[in-house]
Amino acid sequence: MLEKSFYPMAFRLFNSWTIGVVLTACLLGSPSADLGHAAKARAKSRPPDLKILSVDPNPLPFVPNGVPLTLTIKVELPKVIPEEALLDVSTLITSTSRSSFRLLSSRQMLPTTGDTDLRPEAPRRIDVVQTWDGTDNNDQVVEQGMYDYQVQVKLMVLSKSGSPLTRLSAWKKRGNFEVKAQSSARSD
């Protein structure tokens, strides 16, 4: 007698539990408008206060062994700059095949926001200039072709031990430029 009443009740419980699991899996597994919108909203985060406004390579096209390539990087600084802050700018130049690369790096001390000659309401912008002589990491002159660059800017502060710690990073800026071979002298 116990067996006859136990099975229908167990079947109802199992059936309700199964339906709940299946519905949960369907809701979580399938892209719905509400879930997709929430994921997109999270993906679009607020840009950092430190920004790379532009990167201007000059001269283009670049010819190695002549005038060096100059990268002028325009950076917008945050409104509040801590004491003893360093601006670290790194540029990675690579061939499209990734067989050749060069890393350019520069650091400079920044004035704090407590300086009286700076207006805090105005955007604080600074130009960082880096030069590249057309050589790779092995000091070999690069071949002609297209080259990519990736610029990264960080605001760093010195720790108690004196080593720099990253406080803020800008979104990376990427671009490319052409390297042409040096023309040989013509004989007429």
Side-chain angles (χ1 to χ4, degrees), residues 32-45:
S32 69
D34 294 332
L35 291 176
H37 178 68
K40 287 180 185 177
R42 273 183 272 145
K44 291 183 180 179
S45 62

Side-chain angles (χ1 to χ4, degrees), residues 25-36:
C26 288
L27 288 174
L28 292 177
S30 68
S32 69
D34 294 332
L35 291 176

Side-chain angles (χ1 to χ4, degrees), residues 47-85:
D49 291 336
L50 181 66
K51 297 176 181 112
I52 302 171
L53 299 175
S54 66
V55 179
D56 181 31
N58 195 18
L60 292 179
F62 173 61
V63 179
N65 291 335
V67 176
L69 179 76
T70 303
L71 294 163
T72 304
I73 303 156
K74 293 188 184 299
V75 178
E76 184 172 293
L77 301 173
K79 291 179 182 175
V80 177
I81 297 175
E83 288 185 33
E84 297 185 18

Side-chain angles (χ1 to χ4, degrees), residues 52 55 71 73 89-94 98 102-104 130 147-153 171-177:
I52 302 171
V55 179
L71 294 163
I73 303 156
V89 180
S90 301
T91 303
L92 180 64
I93 298 173
T94 57
R98 304 286 190 247
R102 182 62 169 216
L103 180 66
L104 309 175
Q130 294 181 330
Y147 284 77
D148 300 319
Y149 64 82
Q150 175 178 299
V151 179
Q152 183 173 14
V153 176
W171 288 345
K172 296 175 183 175
K173 191 75 111 175
R174 294 175 173 88
N176 57 29
F177 59 89

